[in-house]
Amino acid sequence: MTIERIDLEILRLPYVHFFETSFGRSYDRTFILVRVHAGGISGLGEVVAEEAPLYSSETTETAWHVLRDFLVPLVFKEGISDPAAFARAAKTYRGHPMAKAGLELALWDLKAKAEGLPLTALWGGTKAEIAAGVSCGIEDTFDDLVARVGGYLSEGYRRIKIKIKPGWDVEACAAVRRAYPEIALQVDANGAYVPADIPHLKKLDAFNLVMVEQPFPPYDLWDHAGLQEEMKTPLCLDESIVSETSARQALEMGSCRIVNIKVGRVGGPLEAKRIHDFCQARGVPVWCGGMLESGIGRAANLHLASLPNFELPNDLSASNRYWKEDLIDPEIVLEKGGVIKVPTGPGIGVRPVEERIRKAAVRRESFEVPSRR
Ligand code: OSB
Ligand code: MG
């Protein structure tokens, strides 16, 4: 199989409800869609880099630059179509995991479609449905937060995560716990705290949380270990885990007891699977994080979350949690029991709706094998 053409598109989609984290509030999502074409089949991958370098140092524009000027030319120059060969070759370039992951995902989708198999089959998935959770942003008031949590619970979500930051943490947990004493509840700080906050963070132990996610900044494995020693609630790392190596170091240091896996953050599905397998061997549970993907990126996440060690509910919600109109048809829905079905069709197993993609597109460029003369 030879890749004949690669299309890059920047899309922008408005959220159904604003999403606020310790980084700030946003009203829409800008991301890149990668398409690889070969022999009449096309593979799709979503690049989860956001418009601004807040969660990660990558942005939509850095990912566009690295794809256009380095990764796409690499595919053509080396004649690559196999995702594992791409992942190996892409290591030549440092950093830019989200740009790499988007193209690797597109090659996986192409390969799986060519073989007539869903991604879950190629990746070693074992589950037909996954446990869905929902991530709730910071609201204007604690009452608004409790109302929103109540709405998601009545839709059937089994686990609630709330975003926290200094000034919106202990009281937010107290408000949700007062209303819902029994639910599976966890918090995510996106690195908003510093070690001087340890005495304050310890107050979170009072709320019977499933986990506290990423209290300190990404590079701070050592201080996470110090905090984990003082807290009874398990810590989970998101931003800090960028590879199998960093997962091993975090676990050896005692920096966390749970690992969040995101394909974009770790540079692609192959590295994500390595982290999954490593954690499984160590008896450490993982779960699949989300980056407010469209249905295209989310479908790939569903396949990943079908692997056996994704034991905790995931940040994988139905299309209507994010979008008025998702980019796929049928949309992703929540089933009874708070689960989502893993698509069964070839590749990502969902059909993109071209008209909606066109409506969301803000830039587009196509690349073909440069002719040798
Ligand atoms: O930290 O998990 C995070 C969204 C954007 C950036 C970072 C995070 C998130 C979420 C959303 O929590 C989870 C989802 O996609 O449902
Ligand atoms: Mg997180």
Side-chain angles (χ1 to χ4, degrees), residues 97-118:
M98 293 173 175
K100 292 172 180 171
L103 186 43
E104 194 191 318
L105 278 165
L107 293 170
W108 276 109
D109 184 37
L110 179 74
K111 179 183 166 78
K113 282 171 176 160
E115 294 177 17
L117 292 169

mmCIF file of all heavy atoms in Angstrom, residues 97-118:
data_model
loop_
_atom_site.group_PDB
_atom_site.id
_atom_site.type_symbol
_atom_site.label_atom_id
_atom_site.label_comp_id
_atom_site.label_asym_id
_atom_site.label_seq_id
_atom_site.Cartn_x
_atom_site.Cartn_y
_atom_site.Cartn_z
ATOM 1 N N PRO A 97 4.182 15.310 20.260
ATOM 2 C CA PRO A 97 3.461 14.030 20.310
ATOM 3 C C PRO A 97 2.063 14.086 19.701
ATOM 4 O O PRO A 97 1.618 13.094 19.106
ATOM 5 C CB PRO A 97 3.396 13.717 21.813
ATOM 6 C CG PRO A 97 3.601 15.020 22.504
ATOM 7 C CD PRO A 97 4.544 15.785 21.615
ATOM 8 N N MET A 98 1.365 15.213 19.842
ATOM 9 C CA MET A 98 -0.010 15.261 19.326
ATOM 10 C C MET A 98 -0.038 15.262 17.797
ATOM 11 O O MET A 98 -0.900 14.624 17.181
ATOM 12 C CB MET A 98 -0.740 16.484 19.885
ATOM 13 C CG MET A 98 -0.950 16.377 21.387
ATOM 14 S SD MET A 98 -1.623 17.890 22.083
ATOM 15 C CE MET A 98 -1.867 17.345 23.797
ATOM 16 N N ALA A 99 0.927 15.969 17.196
ATOM 17 C CA ALA A 99 1.030 15.964 15.729
ATOM 18 C C ALA A 99 1.327 14.541 15.245
ATOM 19 O O ALA A 99 0.693 14.037 14.307
ATOM 20 C CB ALA A 99 2.132 16.926 15.284
ATOM 21 N N LYS A 100 2.274 13.880 15.909
ATOM 22 C CA LYS A 100 2.633 12.504 15.526
ATOM 23 C C LYS A 100 1.451 11.565 15.709
ATOM 24 O O LYS A 100 1.168 10.712 14.852
ATOM 25 C CB LYS A 100 3.807 12.014 16.389
ATOM 26 C CG LYS A 100 5.122 12.732 16.114
ATOM 27 C CD LYS A 100 6.180 12.321 17.145
ATOM 28 C CE LYS A 100 7.512 13.028 16.883
ATOM 29 N NZ LYS A 100 8.473 12.820 17.988
ATOM 30 N N ALA A 101 0.747 11.702 16.833
ATOM 31 C CA ALA A 101 -0.363 10.793 17.144
ATOM 32 C C ALA A 101 -1.474 10.894 16.102
ATOM 33 O O ALA A 101 -2.063 9.878 15.713
ATOM 34 C CB ALA A 101 -0.919 11.090 18.536
ATOM 35 N N GLY A 102 -1.765 12.116 15.627
ATOM 36 C CA GLY A 102 -2.850 12.295 14.653
ATOM 37 C C GLY A 102 -2.572 11.553 13.358
ATOM 38 O O GLY A 102 -3.452 10.894 12.795
ATOM 39 N N LEU A 103 -1.319 11.634 12.900
ATOM 40 C CA LEU A 103 -0.960 10.941 11.656
ATOM 41 C C LEU A 103 -0.876 9.426 11.886
ATOM 42 O O LEU A 103 -1.348 8.634 11.060
ATOM 43 C CB LEU A 103 0.364 11.520 11.112
ATOM 44 C CG LEU A 103 0.866 11.039 9.756
ATOM 45 C CD1 LEU A 103 -0.225 10.934 8.709
ATOM 46 C CD2 LEU A 103 1.975 11.970 9.241
ATOM 47 N N GLU A 104 -0.334 9.020 13.038
ATOM 48 C CA GLU A 104 -0.293 7.575 13.333
ATOM 49 C C GLU A 104 -1.714 7.007 13.393
ATOM 50 O O GLU A 104 -1.985 5.917 12.855
ATOM 51 C CB GLU A 104 0.462 7.304 14.644
ATOM 52 C CG GLU A 104 0.814 5.818 14.804
ATOM 53 C CD GLU A 104 1.326 5.423 16.188
ATOM 54 O OE1 GLU A 104 2.135 6.186 16.770
ATOM 55 O OE2 GLU A 104 0.900 4.360 16.689
ATOM 56 N N LEU A 105 -2.627 7.742 14.006
ATOM 57 C CA LEU A 105 -4.026 7.289 14.087
ATOM 58 C C LEU A 105 -4.634 7.119 12.692
ATOM 59 O O LEU A 105 -5.338 6.137 12.429
ATOM 60 C CB LEU A 105 -4.865 8.306 14.878
ATOM 61 C CG LEU A 105 -4.795 8.197 16.394
ATOM 62 C CD1 LEU A 105 -5.365 9.466 17.040
ATOM 63 C CD2 LEU A 105 -5.549 6.968 16.909
ATOM 64 N N ALA A 106 -4.359 8.079 11.805
ATOM 65 C CA ALA A 106 -4.910 7.997 10.445
ATOM 66 C C ALA A 106 -4.372 6.745 9.742
ATOM 67 O O ALA A 106 -5.110 6.048 9.037
ATOM 68 C CB ALA A 106 -4.557 9.253 9.663
ATOM 69 N N LEU A 107 -3.085 6.433 9.952
ATOM 70 C CA LEU A 107 -2.496 5.233 9.330
ATOM 71 C C LEU A 107 -3.087 3.953 9.923
ATOM 72 O O LEU A 107 -3.291 2.959 9.215
ATOM 73 C CB LEU A 107 -0.969 5.259 9.481
ATOM 74 C CG LEU A 107 -0.253 6.378 8.697
ATOM 75 C CD1 LEU A 107 1.220 6.477 9.104
ATOM 76 C CD2 LEU A 107 -0.373 6.153 7.182
ATOM 77 N N TRP A 108 -3.393 3.970 11.219
ATOM 78 C CA TRP A 108 -4.057 2.806 11.847
ATOM 79 C C TRP A 108 -5.452 2.608 11.266
ATOM 80 O O TRP A 108 -5.877 1.482 10.986
ATOM 81 C CB TRP A 108 -4.165 2.991 13.369
ATOM 82 C CG TRP A 108 -2.940 2.601 14.108
ATOM 83 C CD1 TRP A 108 -2.065 3.449 14.733
ATOM 84 C CD2 TRP A 108 -2.431 1.279 14.319
ATOM 85 N NE1 TRP A 108 -1.042 2.735 15.319
ATOM 86 C CE2 TRP A 108 -1.247 1.392 15.082
ATOM 87 C CE3 TRP A 108 -2.864 0.001 13.938
ATOM 88 C CZ2 TRP A 108 -0.484 0.293 15.472
ATOM 89 C CZ3 TRP A 108 -2.103 -1.106 14.322
ATOM 90 C CH2 TRP A 108 -0.929 -0.953 15.079
ATOM 91 N N ASP A 109 -6.174 3.725 11.100
ATOM 92 C CA ASP A 109 -7.534 3.625 10.567
ATOM 93 C C ASP A 109 -7.484 3.051 9.146
ATOM 94 O O ASP A 109 -8.281 2.167 8.792
ATOM 95 C CB ASP A 109 -8.182 5.016 10.581
ATOM 96 C CG ASP A 109 -9.642 4.991 10.137
ATOM 97 O OD1 ASP A 109 -10.356 4.025 10.465
ATOM 98 O OD2 ASP A 109 -10.072 5.950 9.466
ATOM 99 N N LEU A 110 -6.513 3.517 8.362
ATOM 100 C CA LEU A 110 -6.346 3.022 6.987
ATOM 101 C C LEU A 110 -6.031 1.521 6.986
ATOM 102 O O LEU A 110 -6.641 0.737 6.252
ATOM 103 C CB LEU A 110 -5.207 3.802 6.311
ATOM 104 C CG LEU A 110 -4.882 3.406 4.877
ATOM 105 C CD1 LEU A 110 -5.969 3.924 3.933
ATOM 106 C CD2 LEU A 110 -3.525 3.978 4.448
ATOM 107 N N LYS A 111 -5.080 1.127 7.815
ATOM 108 C CA LYS A 111 -4.665 -0.283 7.878
ATOM 109 C C LYS A 111 -5.843 -1.175 8.286
ATOM 110 O O LYS A 111 -6.097 -2.212 7.673
ATOM 111 C CB LYS A 111 -3.522 -0.419 8.899
ATOM 112 C CG LYS A 111 -2.979 -1.831 9.115
ATOM 113 C CD LYS A 111 -1.889 -1.798 10.213
ATOM 114 C CE LYS A 111 -1.524 -3.170 10.734
ATOM 115 N NZ LYS A 111 -0.635 -3.914 9.828
ATOM 116 N N ALA A 112 -6.569 -0.720 9.318
ATOM 117 C CA ALA A 112 -7.691 -1.526 9.807
ATOM 118 C C ALA A 112 -8.789 -1.623 8.739
ATOM 119 O O ALA A 112 -9.380 -2.687 8.534
ATOM 120 C CB ALA A 112 -8.237 -0.925 11.098
ATOM 121 N N LYS A 113 -9.050 -0.517 8.041
ATOM 122 C CA LYS A 113 -10.052 -0.546 6.967
ATOM 123 C C LYS A 113 -9.606 -1.469 5.837
ATOM 124 O O LYS A 113 -10.413 -2.215 5.288
ATOM 125 C CB LYS A 113 -10.317 0.865 6.445
ATOM 126 C CG LYS A 113 -11.233 1.654 7.382
ATOM 127 C CD LYS A 113 -11.339 3.113 6.989
ATOM 128 C CE LYS A 113 -12.342 3.834 7.895
ATOM 129 N NZ LYS A 113 -12.138 5.300 7.888
ATOM 130 N N ALA A 114 -8.318 -1.430 5.495
ATOM 131 C CA ALA A 114 -7.803 -2.293 4.429
ATOM 132 C C ALA A 114 -7.962 -3.762 4.823
ATOM 133 O O ALA A 114 -8.192 -4.623 3.971
ATOM 134 C CB ALA A 114 -6.335 -1.961 4.147
ATOM 135 N N GLU A 115 -7.843 -4.066 6.110
ATOM 136 C CA GLU A 115 -7.967 -5.455 6.577
ATOM 137 C C GLU A 115 -9.408 -5.806 6.944
ATOM 138 O O GLU A 115 -9.688 -6.945 7.318
ATOM 139 C CB GLU A 115 -7.042 -5.682 7.782
ATOM 140 C CG GLU A 115 -5.568 -5.571 7.402
ATOM 141 C CD GLU A 115 -4.616 -5.732 8.592
ATOM 142 O OE1 GLU A 115 -5.051 -6.240 9.655
ATOM 143 O OE2 GLU A 115 -3.443 -5.344 8.446
ATOM 144 N N GLY A 116 -10.302 -4.810 6.890
ATOM 145 C CA GLY A 116 -11.712 -5.059 7.222
ATOM 146 C C GLY A 116 -11.951 -5.330 8.695
ATOM 147 O O GLY A 116 -12.916 -6.003 9.065
ATOM 148 N N LEU A 117 -11.073 -4.795 9.559
ATOM 149 C CA LEU A 117 -11.184 -5.061 10.996
ATOM 150 C C LEU A 117 -11.342 -3.762 11.789
ATOM 151 O O LEU A 117 -10.785 -2.732 11.395
ATOM 152 C CB LEU A 117 -9.916 -5.761 11.496
ATOM 153 C CG LEU A 117 -9.685 -7.188 11.000
ATOM 154 C CD1 LEU A 117 -8.274 -7.647 11.365
ATOM 155 C CD2 LEU A 117 -10.734 -8.128 11.609
ATOM 156 N N PRO A 118 -12.055 -3.802 12.918
ATOM 157 C CA PRO A 118 -12.101 -2.613 13.775
ATOM 158 C C PRO A 118 -10.755 -2.435 14.487
ATOM 159 O O PRO A 118 -10.025 -3.412 14.713
ATOM 160 C CB PRO A 118 -13.207 -2.950 14.785
ATOM 161 C CG PRO A 118 -13.271 -4.441 14.813
ATOM 162 C CD PRO A 118 -12.844 -4.922 13.450
#
